[in-house]
Amino acid sequence: MALERELAVFLRRARASSGEMAREVHPDLEPAAYGLLVRLADAGTQRATALAAYFGVGKATMSRQLRALEDLGLVARDPDPADGRASLVRLTDEGRTRFHRVREARRARYVRKLAGWDRTEVAELARLLHQLNAGAED
């Protein structure tokens, strides 16, 4: 099936790209943890349980990834004022600076790769990918 083949290639390349971007943020950053930075940059401060649910991983996995990001100085945990037993995860200033530098470089690469595309094609691709991602959340 053509769709399966193209998605497999796309996902393989996306994983490789995530690894490269993670290393650009910090040489010791795991590729999977890069997605956490994306989520925190886009959605703001989050509870670890909300992050785990968003990514569909267990609490232990999320805790390990967040601890690694904390050790690198990219995220910090603050007490949740609504629940003293919980904490909120946020990007540190260093994490935000490093992430935004890499994100801007990535966006510039996308602009170059899609330069020959019609704007309506790019908008349609974005719409369809959003539809695919939204369906995966259900």
Side-chain angles (χ1 to χ4, degrees), residues 7-132:
L7 279 174
V9 171
F10 178 78
L11 292 172
R12 191 173 314 126
R13 288 179 179 163
R15 277 192 289 276
S17 179
S18 272
E20 292 169 15
M21 290 182 289
R23 286 186 296 280
E24 288 176 30
V25 170
H26 192 284
D28 298 328
L29 184 63
E30 292 181 25
Y34 181 81
L36 289 169
L37 299 179
V38 172
R39 180 67 178 164
L40 290 168
D42 292 346
T45 302
Q46 305 266 302
R47 281 187 177 186
T49 53
L51 289 167
Y54 179 80
F55 287 105
V57 299
K59 291 179 186 178
T61 298
M62 184 55 56
S63 180
R64 183 184 59 77
Q65 289 180 346
L66 290 174
R67 193 169 33 260
L69 287 169
E70 279 183 293
D71 291 347
L72 296 174
L74 303 174
V75 303
R77 296 185 209 217
D78 300 313
D80 184 344
D83 181 353
R85 300 167 296 171
S87 61
L88 297 173
V89 182
R90 64 174 171 80
L91 288 175
T92 62
D93 290 341
E94 177 72 11
R96 182 172 279 101
T97 298
R98 287 174 175 253
F99 172 75
H100 283 297
R101 178 180 42 81
V102 172
R103 177 178 255 186
E104 290 306 313
R106 182 188 65 196
R107 285 182 174 168
R109 284 192 298 266
Y110 286 153
V111 166
R112 284 191 306 274
K113 285 182 179 186
L114 298 173
W117 288 40
D118 183 88
R119 284 180 174 261
T120 57
E121 290 174 323
V122 175
E124 181 67 1
L125 176 61
R127 186 189 70 74
L128 291 170
L129 286 172
H130 174 75
Q131 185 175 334
L132 181 65

